Amino acid sequence: MVGRVLEDNAPNLWRLNVGTGELKQLTFGKDIERGSCTPDGKWVVYNDGQAKGGAGVFKVSIDGGTPLELAHGTPFSPPVSPDGKLIAYGRTEGLGTGAKSRIVLQSLEDSAIVKEIELPATYDWEQLAWTPDGHALTFVHHTTGTLQNVYMQPLTGGARGQLTHFD
């Protein structure tokens, strides 16, 4: 899967056959720059921040077709777990001091919310990813100013661990 921008300046996801060079457009949004493939290669999961009705998480067959909405209202591109069973994405609810930020784990098969991990509302983070064993998530946290470090959140709960120490 590759991101491609055409003359209309609207990035979308395409399937690329590396053997033949054949391209097939999979998404038809206005700003879909990246996605995550399931390990079995059957689905592409992506975020469409400009979908009708607001941002949403979708999956589409690697063969193309009508996308299925998995979640609504999140601006994050969700990574697929190494076993292909879950997606993870961030969601913030509320405003100001009452805002709640969460990492949501959701079943890719039936869209059921499996777990929500609460983060402080002021926790500035992005680039969510799975660890290779699927037991934790990693993300970039903006600690101060332009300073960023990588953190890991175990799915079993507990404290987030700092993996890098850039100063």
Side-chain angles (χ1 to χ4, degrees):
M1 174 199 49
V2 296
R4 184 175 184 209
V5 181
L6 296 178
E7 297 80 23
D8 63 0
N9 200 28
N12 275 285
L13 301 177
W14 296 66
R15 182 186 71 206
L16 170 64
N17 182 322
V18 293
T20 65
E22 175 191 2
L23 283 166
K24 178 172 180 71
Q25 189 169 356
L26 300 176
T27 64
F28 297 87
K30 293 182 180 177
D31 189 17
I32 303 170
E33 297 182 29
R34 61 184 172 169
S36 182
C37 291
T38 57
D40 62 8
K42 293 181 180 179
W43 296 96
V44 175
V45 178
Y46 64 95
N47 175 271
D48 186 347
Q50 298 183 18
K52 213 176 211 180
V57 174
F58 297 86
K59 73 176 181 178
V60 66
S61 168
I62 197 68
D63 295 321
T66 303
L68 304 169
E69 187 173 29
L70 300 173
H72 188 76
T74 180
F76 297 97
S77 291
V80 175
S81 64
D83 64 7
K85 294 180 180 180
L86 300 173
I87 57 172
Y89 56 89
R91 181 169 52 204
T92 302
E93 296 171 347
L95 299 171
T97 59
K100 301 265 188 223
S101 292
R102 293 182 175 90
I103 296 173
V104 179
L105 304 179
Q106 183 173 325
S107 168
L108 193 53
E109 184 178 332
D110 64 8
S111 297
I113 303 286
V114 174
K115 184 173 193 154
E116 294 188 23
I117 301 167
E118 193 164 326
L119 296 172
T122 57
Y123 212 73
D124 188 10
W125 61 279
E126 59 184 50
Q127 300 178 13
L128 192 61
W130 291 87
T131 57
D133 64 7
H135 295 289
L137 292 162
T138 61
F139 53 90
V140 174
H141 172 50
H142 300 268
T143 49
T144 57
T146 59
L147 186 62
Q148 300 175 333
N149 278 288
V150 178
Y151 287 74
M152 183 172 70
Q153 174 66 58
L155 298 185
T156 56
R160 290 171 288 283
Q162 186 172 346
L163 299 178
T164 61
H165 298 274
F166 301 122
D167 55 5

